[in-house]
Amino acid sequence: MVVSIKRTMAAKTERTFIAIKPDGVQRGLMGEILKRFEQKGFRLVALKFLQASEDLLKQHYIDLKDRPFYPGLVKYMSSGPVAAMVWEGLNVVKTGRVMLGETNPADSKPGTIRGDFCIEVGRNIIHGSDSVDSANKEISLWFKPEELVSYKSCAQDWIYE
Ligand SMILES: Nc1ncnc2c1ncn2[C@@H]1O[C@H](COP(=O)(O)OP(=O)(O)OP(=O)(O)O)[C@@H](O)[C@H]1O
Ligand SMILES: [Mg+2]
């Protein structure tokens, strides 16, 4: 019983790294994107608005360093400010990716963020971690531990059984 309660608690504190890319910021979509995560019931743990350095972005997309679009991707991501966020909740990594839609907006269903608000893969407005492991890496790359805010959400008991 105690073990299963602990397991449930751990699942609810899964975290993902979400970033609104420079095109999402410039097109005035920050509020809409925050609203979707907020209204879903996920809990905001950290949020910052910054001009990311090229070094940070190269590191963030290091797994793609051999892809032909890598230099263009780093240039696109450093072309303006981004909104970097950490969201928490049950299955937030996987569900976050579903909310984003497919990498290529053309394959993204209406109702998803990329399906509703963008057209081309190279201007797909938002990033979301693709696994719990990469979420943890990305969170520690973009945020200092003290920037992750600890608080109790008053809606928690209305969102989870
Ligand atoms: N063929 C491509 N041409 C141009 N840009 C691309 C292409 N494929 C991917 N990208 C860019 O690189 C990003 C990272 O690609 P990745 O394969 O990690 O997709 P993703 O996980 O859906 O996106 P992200 O990591 O940004 O959430 C994409 O979101 C997109 O901006
Ligand atoms: Mg990715």
Side-chain angles (χ1 to χ4, degrees):
M1 181 66 177
V2 174
V3 171
S4 90
I5 290 170
K6 272 191 184 153
R7 206 174 289 142
T8 314
M9 284 298 294
K12 287 175 189 169
T13 56
E14 182 177 301
R15 289 174 173 183
T16 192
F17 175 71
I18 300 289
I20 304 172
K21 298 179 178 182
D23 46 347
V25 171
Q26 294 289 352
R27 293 181 52 210
L29 294 168
M30 282 195 293
E32 172 66 33
I33 290 168
L34 269 156
K35 186 180 94 176
R36 290 187 179 207
F37 279 84
E38 220 176 11
Q39 291 189 338
K40 175 72 176 166
F42 291 132
R43 194 171 78 103
L44 184 65
V45 172
L47 166 65
K48 66 178 161 190
F49 184 60
L50 73 159
Q51 171 66 56
S53 70
E54 229 178 87
D55 277 356
L56 172 61
L57 294 165
K58 279 184 180 159
Q59 194 55 40
H60 174 78
Y61 281 125
I62 196 74
D63 292 349
L64 301 173
K65 67 177 189 315
D66 297 327
R67 305 297 290 272
F69 57 81
Y70 180 72
L73 173 61
V74 172
K75 191 165 172 237
Y76 155 51
M77 289 297 291
S78 56
S79 64
V82 299
M85 299 175 266
V86 177
W87 288 90
E88 182 181 272
L90 185 64
N91 289 327
V92 69
V93 170
K94 185 159 175 270
T95 304
R97 295 279 291 189
V98 173
M99 290 166 68
L100 262 60
E102 300 300 320
T103 306
N104 188 342
D107 301 327
S108 300
K109 293 206 169 61
T112 65
I113 293 167
R114 287 169 176 162
D116 287 349
F117 300 119
C118 52
I119 294 173
E120 283 201 306
V121 69
R123 295 289 181 273
N124 63 358
I125 74 169
I126 186 164
H127 162 80
S129 307
D130 60 11
S131 68
V132 172
D133 256 16
S134 47
N136 292 334
K137 273 188 214 143
E138 291 168 3
I139 290 166
S140 58
L141 182 65
W142 288 79
F143 290 94
K144 298 183 191 125
E146 62 269 26
E147 290 173 329
L148 306 175
V149 181
S150 165
Y151 65 104
K152 182 173 169 16
S153 154
C154 64
Q156 177 93 357
D157 296 340
W158 298 102
I159 292 166
Y160 296 104
E161 294 185 69

